[in-house]
Amino acid sequence: MTIGDSGAPSNQTIYYDELLSTTLMARKKSIFDTIFKEHAFLSYLRMSGGIDYQDGGERITVPLMYADNDTIKTHGGYSIIDTTPQDSLTTAFFNWAEIAGSITISRKEERQNSGEGKLIDLLKSKIDVAEMTMGEKLNNDLVLGTVSGATFVPDTASDGSYGVLPLGYFFRKANRTNPTVGGNIGNIDASTYYSWWAHHTAIANNGSVETGNSFAISVSTYKGLSVALKRMLNFTSRGGGGAADLVLMNQLTFETYENALDDKVRYSNTKMADMGFDTIKLRGATCIWDEVVPDLYTGTAAIATGTAFFINTKFYNLMIDKETDIVTTPFLNPINQTVKTAKILFMGNATVKNMRKHGLLYGISQSIVA
């Protein structure tokens, strides 16, 4: 749209399509920053190096180590060093998932906000809404996903494509059974149990070990909860690679653990605190909460019993296509509408390199008071 007579050199010419596109492009970096600062889980992933990039490709490829190097042995001055070739690596594959939306300004809105300043204000308001919604969508897909038959699976697009893989898809209660949707995790055959491709699990509401549990514990007190959390952290530390550095809980479980520490020395993650998030330290791990953490014990989004995911961000990553890290397109005019529309796009997925470095504590009582 052009304002003014191009033949009059003293008049200003404003191309609104270009103005809108340039303003939106200028906001691209701030859109990404805001989305990853508004949610504790996304913020921690970004802060801890849990976000990585891949330059396109048919699928996301993640190298896995599934066996030790058998040539590593005690050596003496004249001992023969074993040079047997080692086949200890394999590859996990994860499909790309996409999230997309649009920012649209109608001609009527454009006329009602005529003038460069008012139009830019309108665009900024629309960007703010898109920014907030995109952040909630990405966070909710990563943490909760979709509940299907008491299992947690990715959201599904209108064409049948699967969305971002949620935590409950990777770290499920039944850690020795094949997921019902999406096939094998990372293209690794789940019909056979592999100890190197299984996370630790524990039930917290009784002492009876369920199939696949690393331990079981009946938690009814503050002390019992502390014991259970520390024990799971220890299990995730087994082997190389360190322990889980993040414990993501539902709100009430977080508050219960927080209350258990009220009369003791408390430590928090200062970087997360500076971003406005409440945190508690569990030894070296940072504890945070999210309102959409599901109930893995009952297989529901609504919390009846608490859940705590133990995540090692060395081995859990949000992999993003380097050209689609929440990008925006220029504003275009559809031929059949009096509107201008730009798209906002994300392509990536959650990936895991080593399942046994993570844990899941489920069935945590929500009525612990002392």
Side-chain angles (χ1 to χ4, degrees):
M1 177 178 180
T2 304
I3 295 178
D5 181 357
S6 58
S10 62
N11 285 357
Q12 182 182 18
T13 299
I14 300 175
Y15 295 92
Y16 275 169
D17 291 1
E18 181 179 348
L19 175 66
L20 293 172
S21 296
T22 301
T23 303
L24 184 57
M25 287 300 294
R27 280 286 301 273
K28 175 187 175 293
K29 180 65 165 60
S30 67
I31 292 173
F32 182 90
D33 287 343
T34 300
I35 286 174
F36 281 83
K37 286 179 180 177
E38 288 295 315
H39 300 273
F41 183 50
L42 293 176
S43 292
Y44 188 87
L45 287 181
R46 187 180 186 186
M47 183 194 71
S48 65
I51 295 175
D52 206 348
Y53 292 88
Q54 179 176 306
D55 190 6
E58 179 202 2
R59 292 175 292 177
I60 301 170
T61 57
V62 178
L64 308 176
M65 184 182 73
Y66 69 89
D68 294 332
N69 185 329
D70 291 336
T71 69
I72 306 299
K73 301 172 183 176
T74 301
H75 179 68
Y78 292 97
S79 300
I80 303 299
I81 297 175
D82 189 348
T83 59
T84 304
Q86 300 292 296
D87 182 18
S88 58
L89 299 177
T90 187
T91 303
F93 297 96
F94 299 91
N95 292 325
W96 291 109
E98 296 177 276
I99 299 175
S102 62
I103 299 172
T104 298
I105 293 179
S106 70
R107 188 178 187 281
K108 181 178 180 180
E109 288 176 314
E110 188 178 313
R111 294 305 306 143
Q112 290 172 331
N113 294 272
S114 59
E116 181 178 344
K118 291 181 67 177
L119 188 59
I120 295 303
D121 287 342
L122 173 64
L123 175 59
K124 288 179 178 178
S125 296
K126 288 179 176 283
I127 292 173
D128 288 343
V129 173
E131 189 176 72
M132 180 180 67
T133 309
M134 176 68 87
E136 289 181 352
K137 174 63 175 171
L138 179 57
N139 181 76
N140 292 359
D141 281 1
L142 283 168
V143 177
L144 172 61
T146 298
V147 182
S148 176
T151 62
F152 298 89
V153 298
D155 191 18
T156 306
S158 58
D159 67 353
S161 301
Y162 290 122
V164 175
L165 298 171
L167 289 173
Y169 176 86
F170 291 107
F171 314 126
R172 55 193 187 273
K173 172 187 170 184
N175 63 347
R176 298 194 184 190
T177 60
N178 198 18
T180 59
V181 176
N184 303 319
I185 297 177
N187 208 43
I188 304 298
D189 183 7
S191 62
T192 302
Y193 172 72
Y194 298 106
S195 59
W196 55 269
W197 198 236
H199 57 290
H200 297 283
T201 65
I203 186 170
N205 64 3
N206 64 65
S208 300
V209 175
E210 296 190 336
T211 301
N213 279 173
S214 296
F215 66 92
I217 186 170
S218 182
V219 174
S220 59
T221 63
Y222 288 161
K223 183 177 181 180
L225 178 60
S226 180
V227 168
L229 292 171
K230 290 175 182 176
R231 186 169 300 171
M232 179 55 75
L233 190 67
N234 287 340
F235 269 96
T236 66
S237 72
R238 293 186 172 189
D245 57 296
L246 175 65
V247 184
L248 177 62
M249 309 175 183
N250 63 292
Q251 180 180 342
L252 189 52
T253 297
F254 177 90
E255 291 170 354
T256 302
Y257 180 51
E258 185 177 38
N259 289 337
L261 299 176
D262 272 349
D263 60 345
K264 301 177 178 65
V265 176
R266 293 178 50 189
Y267 299 95
S268 65
N269 185 313
T270 55
K271 290 183 179 179
M272 292 290 286
D274 289 343
M275 290 186 284
F277 298 112
D278 291 331
T279 66
I280 311 169
K281 297 296 283 187
L282 176 67
R283 292 181 177 164
T286 296
C287 299
I288 60 175
W289 66 272
D290 193 288
E291 62 190 276
V292 297
V293 170
D295 186 338
L296 268 286
Y297 181 61
T298 62
T300 59
I303 292 292
T305 64
T307 298
F309 292 106
F310 289 70
I311 301 167
N312 187 321
T313 56
K314 289 181 182 178
F315 304 106
Y316 173 94
N317 295 101
L318 175 60
M319 188 71 73
I320 303 175
D321 173 49
K322 66 181 299 185
E323 298 295 330
T324 325
D325 57 343
I326 309 180
V327 298
T328 56
T329 68
F331 277 88
L332 299 175
N333 297 79
I335 61 173
N336 60 345
Q337 290 180 295
T338 56
V339 300
K340 295 177 174 68
T341 298
K343 299 179 181 68
I344 180 167
L345 309 171
F346 167 85
M347 188 167 86
N349 214 337
T351 65
V352 172
K353 300 174 186 176
N354 189 335
M355 292 286 284
R356 63 183 172 180
K357 299 304 296 180
H358 309 274
L360 168 66
L361 183 66
Y362 61 87
I364 303 169
S365 172
Q366 300 295 274
S367 57
I368 300 172
V369 295

